[in-house]
């Protein structure tokens, strides 16, 4: 703001900032209420094997329809849940729904996203174990997806956490690889069970040679560390083929299915019996 507007140029005060803060507070209140009333929904996105495009897993994704406003993106409400501590409850709700849904899909495994803040609660790992027991789900069928921030910010704690999860038999995937500042060093240090390559790296693989090279290098790196690779955000057949050629074992994206309700996933698994592909190549 300039001097002329009478507020002094060193302040960035702006009435719209108050409005924003107010709106954020209201959003937080509504989110809190939604969690209390168990109104956070969960959808499931298919993950297919690159070898035959058949579904082998799903990723659980949180959904929230805000009363009077319509659906709110997780890109909006997850950061709010993280900064307000609501993520602890929200995360456990999603995990519980996911584990109980998985009971209907004996041939699948499930991935659930976890925010770094959830590990601040020392009881978190135990709670995960309790939910698995309650749902009677084999721990090896659960993958927790985490982003690099946790491993960079608090490597010592992260290592302990990983060890505990691994001891329980739970798998850990590094999410959104290639979107941040990921370095080879911490990949080696942590030994994830799987790496998920971010959509940003996947986008150009079919038509930009540079992107294809970068993908090949990334997959080669992951493989040299014995970490299988999932590609996210696969939207075209050309991408799927390029990713498969590069050595990605699992693929996820709108080409194979958008995040869907439980019934739709059940239909996809039922039709596994007669072995049609989820995405039929022409
Ligand atoms: P993510 O874990 O990387 O999930 C993948 C996101 O990419 C999802 O967005 C999914 O709908 C979207 N996506 C999948 N395939 C395609 C595609 O082919 N094209 C495009 N354009 N997008 C695709 P969504 O559901 O909006 O979730 C966004 C992010 O919010 C997630 O990214 C994750 O970081 C976070 N999130 C969602 N649910 C949870 C949760 O229960 N707990 C936590 N901690 N985070 C969550
Ligand atoms: Mg994820
Ligand atoms: Mg991701
Ligand atoms: Mg993401």
């Amino acid at each position: 703001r300039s001097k002329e507007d009478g507020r002094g140029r060193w302040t960035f005060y702006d009435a719209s900032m108050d409005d924003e803060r107010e709106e954020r507070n209201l959003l937080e209140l509504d989110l809190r209420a939604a969690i209390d009333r168990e109104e956070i929904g969960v959808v499931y996105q298919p993950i297919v094997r690159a070898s035959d495009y058949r579904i082998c897993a799903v990723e659980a994704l949180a959904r929230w329809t805000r009363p009077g406003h319509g659906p709110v993106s997780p890109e909006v409400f997850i950061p709010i849940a993280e900064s307000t501590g609501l993520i602890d409850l929200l995360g456990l709700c999603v995990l519980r729904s996911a584990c109980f849904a998985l009971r209907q899909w004996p041939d699948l495994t499930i991935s659930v996203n976890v925010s770094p803040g959830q590990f601040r609660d020392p009881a978190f790992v135990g709670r995960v174990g309790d939910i698995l027991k309650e749902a009677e789900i084999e721990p090896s069928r659960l993958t927790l997806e985490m982003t690099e921030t946790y491993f960079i910010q608090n490597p010592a704690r992260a290592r302990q956490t990983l060890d505990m999860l691994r001891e329980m038999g739970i798998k850990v995937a590094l999410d959104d690889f290639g979107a941040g500042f990921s370095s080879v060093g911490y990949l080696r240090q942590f030994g994830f069970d799987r790496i998920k390559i971010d959509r940003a790296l996947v986008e150009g693989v079919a038509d930009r040679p540079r992107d294809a090279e970068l993908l090949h290098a990334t997959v080669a790196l992951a493989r040299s560390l014995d970490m299988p690779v999932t590609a996210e955000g696969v939207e075209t057949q050309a991408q799927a083929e390029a990713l498969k050629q590069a050595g990605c074992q699992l693929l996820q994206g709108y080409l194979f299915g958008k995040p869907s309700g439980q019934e739709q996933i059940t239909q996809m698994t039922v039709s596994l019996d007669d072995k049609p592909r989820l995405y039929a190549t022409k």
Side-chain angles (χ1 to χ4, degrees):
R1 299 295 149 206
S2 68
K3 247 181 186 167
E4 285 77 23
D5 69 9
R7 288 181 191 135
R9 67 183 139 170
W10 60 88
T11 67
F12 284 84
Y13 177 82
D14 179 336
S16 72
M17 277 170 76
D18 279 352
D19 293 347
E20 259 170 50
R21 198 163 302 141
E22 175 70 12
E23 169 53 21
R24 215 184 132 93
N25 287 342
L26 290 174
L27 200 70
E28 185 193 325
L29 278 177
D30 283 354
L31 182 60
R32 196 178 289 274
I35 295 168
D36 286 345
R37 296 191 208 114
E38 298 182 18
E39 284 169 5
I40 300 297
V42 183
V43 288
Y44 302 90
Q45 186 175 30
I47 298 173
V48 304
R49 290 194 301 241
S51 57
D52 56 9
Y53 293 167
R54 281 176 194 129
I55 186 170
C56 62
V58 288
E59 177 174 2
L61 294 158
R63 290 292 179 267
W64 177 38
T65 302
R66 187 180 176 200
H69 293 260
V72 182
S73 165
E75 312 271 10
V76 172
F77 71 79
I78 293 291
I80 292 177
E82 285 172 343
S83 65
T84 53
L86 289 170
I87 194 68
D88 290 341
L89 262 178
L90 190 154
L92 288 173
C93 288
V94 172
L95 182 72
R96 170 181 296 271
S97 299
C99 287
F100 277 90
L102 190 62
R103 291 164 62 104
Q104 304 165 46
W105 310 318
D107 299 326
L108 306 186
T109 59
I110 201 155
S111 282
V112 178
N113 295 286
V114 177
S115 299
Q118 292 180 255
F119 291 103
R120 275 195 298 260
D121 177 2
F124 173 71
V125 174
R127 296 229 163 83
V128 175
D130 291 344
I131 290 173
L132 285 168
K133 271 198 202 107
E134 202 189 326
E136 298 176 306
I137 294 294
E138 180 64 38
S140 63
R141 292 177 68 205
L142 173 66
T143 298
L144 298 183
E145 295 191 1
M146 298 178 222
T147 52
E148 62 181 28
T149 37
Y150 182 54
F151 301 96
I152 292 170
Q153 281 168 3
N154 208 335
R157 277 284 292 280
R159 163 151 299 282
Q160 280 185 331
T161 307
L162 280 191
D163 287 346
M164 280 199 286
L165 292 170
R166 197 154 290 146
E167 224 162 272
M168 291 164 71
I170 296 165
K171 304 249 157 63
V172 177
L174 180 65
D175 204 355
D176 301 347
F177 187 73
F181 300 97
S182 325
S183 83
V184 183
Y186 87 94
L187 265 191
R188 282 184 53 168
Q189 190 187 337
F190 289 107
F192 302 99
D193 296 293
R194 175 166 293 281
I195 289 172
K196 295 191 78 170
I197 294 190
D198 194 71
R199 190 164 80 230
L201 263 187
V202 165
E203 221 187 324
V205 292
D207 30 51
R208 290 199 288 269
R210 276 256 171 89
D211 289 17
E213 263 175 52
L214 193 57
L215 172 81
H216 276 267
T218 307
V219 177
L221 169 66
R223 296 188 105 185
S224 73
L225 297 168
D226 280 325
M227 298 175 201
V229 174
T230 303
E232 298 190 282
V234 186
E235 294 183 351
T236 68
Q237 189 179 340
Q239 286 171 338
E241 275 156 19
L243 290 159
K244 182 173 165 174
Q245 287 219 323
C248 296
Q249 295 92 337
L250 300 183
L251 307 175
Q252 177 180 359
Y254 294 166
L255 178 67
F256 304 104
K258 294 205 167 175
S260 322
Q262 287 186 44
E263 305 73 31
Q264 277 163 287
I265 299 295
T266 300
Q267 273 169 14
M268 291 175 197
T269 60
V270 163
S271 60
L272 270 178
D273 294 340
D274 28 283
K275 307 270 183 223
R277 293 169 171 201
L278 203 51
Y279 173 78
T281 44
K282 274 151 226 146

